[in-house]
Amino acid sequence: MSKLKEFLLNARYAFNPRKPFLFGRLVGAVARTYVFGRPPLRYVDFSLDFACNLRCQHCFATALQQPGRRRMTVADYARVARECMSLGAVNFSFQGGEPLLFRELGDIITACQPPRNVISVTTNGTLLTPERIANLKRFGVDILTISLDSAIAEEHDRFRGVSGSFEKTMAGIRLALKEGLRVTLGTVVTRQTVRSEGITALIRLAQDLKVLLYFILPVPAGRWSSHRQMLLTPEDLTYLDEWTRRSRYLRTDFQANFGGHGCGAVKEILYLTPYGDVLPCPFLHITFGNVLEEPVNVIRDRALQNPYFAVYHQKCLASTDEEFIEEYLSKTFGADKLPLRWDCVFPPQEGEKAK
């Protein structure tokens, strides 16, 4: 796949003629990356809540749940969004649980300045209705990332834990496309499924619909904590890489960066829990600080001092870097309370005192 075709497809997803201020911010972000070689923070992923209407095999969201703890308010989201935008962020994403169950979804999206940013919502798609889609468009949502794990209904339903979810998700995808929302598909692939007919048919479906399909690598977190039998082999990764080279509609997160190919965690991506904890990504349950206690730039600078996040690492730290999983991520397996603080996971850096 040519870089030009990839760029044009990315632009199609990001461009919204009703958001002229966003266009200028996107141009500025691209210029900083390609002209000055300084890719900014690009993408901020907010987890809003833990409630969900499905029972997915791999669910990791509830592993971070701490009942009774203070949550971010709408005002907190507005402040954090401003701080992230000052660092270059142009895309705010919202997930759960299932975010369509969250009553304050519209207020929080509005707090993140939709006219100036790409707004995406990650959903299982089963709750999409014409009224909900109309509301999402009114809030300023540009993209729905819809979870779909097989083109075979029984396989998808088994993975998502609820019979009939496949048909509801497919109906939601068709409705979103019909109503003019851009759709990407998020697909978990494991050692057991990566070459299956369900995934192969799903690839054909994405190409037929002309929507992006992101392969999500399995992670030993959440309900899969410490489980490694589903992790992809080097041969599996080569197989996926061949698919992504063959079709512009097939991607991994490594291909979504403004800057280099590889892990964009911290450099371009931050993930925040409902309590304000800042994680490198949804799958690394290690926090470098809390936005209710410190500004985003202070927390991000701290994380960038870690050698694993200072560069575009060429392995997924949470899924394919066996050394990182064994030495660091394994400390989160079975922990009484997550996320763990960075200084409980990593050795002190030079000049930093252990706490």
Side-chain angles (χ1 to χ4, degrees):
M1 176 182 60
S2 73
K3 286 292 183 182
L4 177 60
K5 288 183 178 180
E6 182 177 310
F7 176 81
L8 291 174
L9 186 55
N10 291 344
R12 192 187 89 189
Y13 270 82
F15 179 71
N16 187 332
R18 297 187 301 275
K19 296 185 175 185
F21 293 110
L22 169 60
F23 179 76
R25 299 192 70 240
L26 287 168
V27 170
V30 172
R32 285 177 62 183
T33 300
Y34 292 99
V35 177
F36 301 107
R38 296 194 299 271
L41 179 65
R42 168 181 57 86
Y43 180 91
V44 180
D45 198 1
F46 290 116
S47 172
L48 300 180
D49 196 29
F50 306 101
C52 188
N53 61 319
L54 300 185
R55 299 185 296 274
C56 304
Q57 290 182 11
H58 70 313
C59 181
F60 63 87
T62 55
L64 301 172
Q65 190 170 12
Q66 298 180 34
R69 190 177 174 194
R70 180 206 188 296
R71 293 185 177 220
M72 292 177 64
T73 65
V74 173
D76 292 325
Y77 283 101
R79 174 182 57 80
V80 170
R82 291 193 299 270
E83 292 179 7
C84 292
M85 289 170 66
S86 71
L87 297 173
V90 293
N91 189 341
F92 290 94
S93 180
F94 305 90
Q95 63 168 283
E98 172 49 57
L100 298 186
L101 292 172
F102 193 59
R103 291 182 179 181
E104 291 187 299
L105 176 61
D107 293 334
I108 291 174
I109 290 175
T110 300
C112 294
Q113 304 185 44
R116 298 170 60 85
N117 294 295
V118 177
I119 302 295
S120 53
V121 173
T122 298
T123 172
N124 59 49
T126 62
L127 301 177
L128 290 170
T129 63
E131 181 181 7
R132 277 200 170 101
I133 287 178
N135 285 334
L136 291 172
K137 292 175 68 174
R138 180 168 55 84
F139 297 149
V141 173
D142 301 288
I143 302 169
L144 290 182
T145 296
I146 299 179
S147 302
L148 189 64
D149 299 293
S150 174
I152 299 173
E154 294 79 5
E155 290 182 356
H156 174 85
D157 290 358
R158 184 165 57 249
F159 186 76
R160 293 287 160 176
V162 174
S163 298
S165 58
F166 176 83
E167 292 302 329
K168 291 180 180 178
T169 297
M170 287 302 304
I173 291 170
R174 290 190 289 266
L175 184 60
L177 291 172
K178 177 184 175 183
E179 296 301 323
L181 281 176
R182 298 173 181 87
V183 170
T184 66
L185 303 179
T187 300
V188 178
V189 288
T190 68
R191 185 184 306 176
Q192 291 75 28
T193 67
V194 65
R195 289 176 172 80
S196 69
E197 176 54 32
I199 294 297
T200 303
L202 192 54
I203 289 170
R204 293 195 297 267
L205 175 66
Q207 293 172 326
D208 290 343
L209 294 176
K210 294 182 171 55
V211 300
L212 288 176
L213 184 156
Y214 278 89
F215 295 116
I216 301 171
L217 305 187
V219 174
R223 290 180 178 171
W224 281 352
S225 179
S226 76
H227 297 172
R228 305 193 192 186
Q229 68 273 15
M230 85 293 292
L231 299 183
L232 300 180
T233 67
E235 292 75 20
D236 295 333
L237 294 170
T238 298
Y239 177 77
L240 285 185
D241 186 58
E242 290 171 352
W243 268 117
T244 61
R245 291 176 185 275
R246 198 179 308 168
S247 172
R248 61 177 176 154
Y249 293 107
L250 307 178
R251 306 279 182 85
T252 67
D253 283 338
F254 278 29
Q255 296 160 291
N257 300 318
F258 280 152
H261 179 276
C263 174
V266 179
K267 296 164 290 300
E268 299 194 24
I269 301 168
L270 292 176
Y271 175 84
L272 277 73
T273 73
Y275 312 112
D277 297 312
V278 179
L279 282 58
C281 84
F283 308 110
L284 295 173
H285 294 170
I286 303 163
T287 177
F288 282 88
N290 187 290
V291 295
L292 301 180
E293 301 169 359
E294 297 177 297
V296 174
N297 68 302
V298 172
I299 298 170
R300 181 168 175 257
D301 286 346
R302 177 184 297 129
L304 287 172
Q305 297 303 309
N306 186 292
Y308 282 102
F309 304 114
V311 299
Y312 290 87
H313 204 64
Q314 293 305 298
K315 291 183 178 181
C316 175
L317 296 172
S319 181
T320 64
D321 190 319
E322 295 180 4
E323 179 180 329
F324 183 91
I325 294 171
E326 185 64 37
E327 190 164 354
Y328 302 114
L329 190 61
S330 63
K331 295 179 182 180
T332 68
F333 301 162
D336 292 335
K337 186 171 69 174
L338 293 173
L340 294 182
R341 281 172 52 103
W342 81 96
D343 50 4
C344 295
V345 176
F346 300 105
Q349 300 299 307
E350 185 177 350
E352 178 186 9
K353 293 182 179 180
K355 297 184 179 181

mmCIF file of all heavy atoms in Angstrom, residues 9 12-13 177 183 204-212 248-249:
data_model
loop_
_atom_site.group_PDB
_atom_site.id
_atom_site.type_symbol
_atom_site.label_atom_id
_atom_site.label_comp_id
_atom_site.label_asym_id
_atom_site.label_seq_id
_atom_site.Cartn_x
_atom_site.Cartn_y
_atom_site.Cartn_z
ATOM 1 N N LEU A 9 -6.624 8.140 2.751
ATOM 2 C CA LEU A 9 -7.668 7.478 3.518
ATOM 3 C C LEU A 9 -7.744 8.049 4.930
ATOM 4 O O LEU A 9 -8.839 8.274 5.468
ATOM 5 C CB LEU A 9 -7.408 5.974 3.564
ATOM 6 C CG LEU A 9 -8.494 5.112 4.214
ATOM 7 C CD1 LEU A 9 -9.854 5.344 3.549
ATOM 8 C CD2 LEU A 9 -8.117 3.642 4.152
ATOM 9 N N ARG A 12 -9.550 11.291 4.787
ATOM 10 C CA ARG A 12 -10.997 11.125 4.623
ATOM 11 C C ARG A 12 -11.676 10.924 5.967
ATOM 12 O O ARG A 12 -12.781 11.429 6.212
ATOM 13 C CB ARG A 12 -11.285 9.933 3.710
ATOM 14 C CG ARG A 12 -12.741 9.856 3.251
ATOM 15 C CD ARG A 12 -12.982 8.569 2.493
ATOM 16 N NE ARG A 12 -13.382 7.496 3.409
ATOM 17 C CZ ARG A 12 -13.500 6.218 3.055
ATOM 18 N NH1 ARG A 12 -13.179 5.837 1.834
ATOM 19 N NH2 ARG A 12 -13.882 5.310 3.924
ATOM 20 N N TYR A 13 -11.018 10.194 6.850
ATOM 21 C CA TYR A 13 -11.601 9.955 8.167
ATOM 22 C C TYR A 13 -11.519 11.194 9.055
ATOM 23 O O TYR A 13 -12.395 11.437 9.886
ATOM 24 C CB TYR A 13 -10.892 8.783 8.854
ATOM 25 C CG TYR A 13 -11.533 7.451 8.561
ATOM 26 C CD1 TYR A 13 -11.251 6.763 7.386
ATOM 27 C CD2 TYR A 13 -12.435 6.877 9.448
ATOM 28 C CE1 TYR A 13 -11.851 5.535 7.113
ATOM 29 C CE2 TYR A 13 -13.037 5.656 9.181
ATOM 30 C CZ TYR A 13 -12.740 4.997 8.008
ATOM 31 O OH TYR A 13 -13.342 3.789 7.738
ATOM 32 N N LEU A 177 -23.230 4.003 8.867
ATOM 33 C CA LEU A 177 -22.764 4.365 7.535
ATOM 34 C C LEU A 177 -23.861 5.080 6.753
ATOM 35 O O LEU A 177 -23.602 6.076 6.058
ATOM 36 C CB LEU A 177 -22.299 3.120 6.788
ATOM 37 C CG LEU A 177 -21.014 2.465 7.315
ATOM 38 C CD1 LEU A 177 -20.769 1.137 6.615
ATOM 39 C CD2 LEU A 177 -19.810 3.392 7.123
ATOM 40 N N VAL A 183 -16.925 4.953 10.041
ATOM 41 C CA VAL A 183 -16.850 3.745 10.868
ATOM 42 C C VAL A 183 -15.483 3.104 10.707
ATOM 43 O O VAL A 183 -14.969 2.970 9.587
ATOM 44 C CB VAL A 183 -17.956 2.737 10.478
ATOM 45 C CG1 VAL A 183 -17.735 1.387 11.163
ATOM 46 C CG2 VAL A 183 -19.338 3.291 10.832
ATOM 47 N N ARG A 204 -12.668 -9.373 4.287
ATOM 48 C CA ARG A 204 -13.417 -9.122 3.048
ATOM 49 C C ARG A 204 -14.550 -8.126 3.289
ATOM 50 O O ARG A 204 -14.814 -7.250 2.454
ATOM 51 C CB ARG A 204 -13.968 -10.437 2.491
ATOM 52 C CG ARG A 204 -12.899 -11.409 1.994
ATOM 53 C CD ARG A 204 -13.519 -12.496 1.129
ATOM 54 N NE ARG A 204 -14.459 -13.325 1.891
ATOM 55 C CZ ARG A 204 -14.110 -14.465 2.499
ATOM 56 N NH1 ARG A 204 -12.856 -14.897 2.455
ATOM 57 N NH2 ARG A 204 -15.021 -15.176 3.153
ATOM 58 N N LEU A 205 -15.208 -8.240 4.436
ATOM 59 C CA LEU A 205 -16.307 -7.336 4.753
ATOM 60 C C LEU A 205 -15.815 -5.893 4.850
ATOM 61 O O LEU A 205 -16.442 -4.972 4.303
ATOM 62 C CB LEU A 205 -16.953 -7.756 6.081
ATOM 63 C CG LEU A 205 -18.050 -6.832 6.618
ATOM 64 C CD1 LEU A 205 -19.267 -6.843 5.699
ATOM 65 C CD2 LEU A 205 -18.450 -7.236 8.041
ATOM 66 N N ALA A 206 -14.696 -5.675 5.544
ATOM 67 C CA ALA A 206 -14.151 -4.321 5.674
ATOM 68 C C ALA A 206 -13.798 -3.743 4.312
ATOM 69 O O ALA A 206 -14.070 -2.563 4.033
ATOM 70 C CB ALA A 206 -12.921 -4.339 6.578
ATOM 71 N N GLN A 207 -13.222 -4.561 3.455
ATOM 72 C CA GLN A 207 -12.861 -4.088 2.115
ATOM 73 C C GLN A 207 -14.108 -3.783 1.292
ATOM 74 O O GLN A 207 -14.141 -2.791 0.552
ATOM 75 C CB GLN A 207 -11.980 -5.126 1.430
ATOM 76 C CG GLN A 207 -10.619 -5.273 2.097
ATOM 77 C CD GLN A 207 -9.814 -6.428 1.549
ATOM 78 O OE1 GLN A 207 -10.366 -7.468 1.167
ATOM 79 N NE2 GLN A 207 -8.507 -6.286 1.516
ATOM 80 N N ASP A 208 -15.146 -4.604 1.427
ATOM 81 C CA ASP A 208 -16.387 -4.359 0.695
ATOM 82 C C ASP A 208 -17.068 -3.074 1.167
ATOM 83 O O ASP A 208 -17.608 -2.302 0.357
ATOM 84 C CB ASP A 208 -17.346 -5.545 0.854
ATOM 85 C CG ASP A 208 -16.868 -6.790 0.125
ATOM 86 O OD1 ASP A 208 -15.993 -6.661 -0.759
ATOM 87 O OD2 ASP A 208 -17.361 -7.890 0.450
ATOM 88 N N LEU A 209 -17.058 -2.855 2.488
ATOM 89 C CA LEU A 209 -17.679 -1.655 3.050
ATOM 90 C C LEU A 209 -16.801 -0.416 2.902
ATOM 91 O O LEU A 209 -17.265 0.703 3.139
ATOM 92 C CB LEU A 209 -17.993 -1.872 4.535
ATOM 93 C CG LEU A 209 -19.058 -2.917 4.878
ATOM 94 C CD1 LEU A 209 -19.169 -3.080 6.394
ATOM 95 C CD2 LEU A 209 -20.409 -2.537 4.292
ATOM 96 N N LYS A 210 -15.515 -0.646 2.567
ATOM 97 C CA LYS A 210 -14.536 0.441 2.453
ATOM 98 C C LYS A 210 -14.388 1.183 3.780
ATOM 99 O O LYS A 210 -14.399 2.413 3.847
ATOM 100 C CB LYS A 210 -14.901 1.404 1.320
ATOM 101 C CG LYS A 210 -14.831 0.772 -0.058
ATOM 102 C CD LYS A 210 -15.150 1.778 -1.154
ATOM 103 C CE LYS A 210 -14.861 1.215 -2.540
ATOM 104 N NZ LYS A 210 -15.559 -0.064 -2.814
ATOM 105 N N VAL A 211 -14.238 0.387 4.855
ATOM 106 C CA VAL A 211 -13.997 0.950 6.178
ATOM 107 C C VAL A 211 -12.683 0.394 6.721
ATOM 108 O O VAL A 211 -12.268 -0.718 6.369
ATOM 109 C CB VAL A 211 -15.149 0.638 7.154
ATOM 110 C CG1 VAL A 211 -16.463 1.220 6.646
ATOM 111 C CG2 VAL A 211 -15.287 -0.865 7.399
ATOM 112 N N LEU A 212 -12.036 1.162 7.586
ATOM 113 C CA LEU A 212 -10.798 0.709 8.199
ATOM 114 C C LEU A 212 -11.078 -0.399 9.205
ATOM 115 O O LEU A 212 -12.037 -0.324 9.980
ATOM 116 C CB LEU A 212 -10.100 1.862 8.916
ATOM 117 C CG LEU A 212 -9.460 2.938 8.041
ATOM 118 C CD1 LEU A 212 -8.901 4.056 8.919
ATOM 119 C CD2 LEU A 212 -8.353 2.351 7.179
ATOM 120 N N ARG A 248 -5.112 -1.124 2.013
ATOM 121 C CA ARG A 248 -5.082 0.134 2.754
ATOM 122 C C ARG A 248 -6.148 0.189 3.837
ATOM 123 O O ARG A 248 -6.117 1.070 4.697
ATOM 124 C CB ARG A 248 -5.265 1.310 1.801
ATOM 125 C CG ARG A 248 -6.584 1.303 1.035
ATOM 126 C CD ARG A 248 -6.701 2.533 0.185
ATOM 127 N NE ARG A 248 -7.909 2.529 -0.630
ATOM 128 C CZ ARG A 248 -8.512 3.626 -1.077
ATOM 129 N NH1 ARG A 248 -8.001 4.809 -0.777
ATOM 130 N NH2 ARG A 248 -9.591 3.544 -1.822
ATOM 131 N N TYR A 249 -7.095 -0.747 3.814
ATOM 132 C CA TYR A 249 -8.158 -0.740 4.811
ATOM 133 C C TYR A 249 -7.802 -1.531 6.067
ATOM 134 O O TYR A 249 -8.562 -1.521 7.036
ATOM 135 C CB TYR A 249 -9.452 -1.309 4.209
ATOM 136 C CG TYR A 249 -10.030 -0.429 3.130
ATOM 137 C CD1 TYR A 249 -9.958 -0.796 1.784
ATOM 138 C CD2 TYR A 249 -10.633 0.783 3.442
ATOM 139 C CE1 TYR A 249 -10.479 0.025 0.789
ATOM 140 C CE2 TYR A 249 -11.157 1.609 2.455
ATOM 141 C CZ TYR A 249 -11.070 1.219 1.130
ATOM 142 O OH TYR A 249 -11.574 2.040 0.161
#
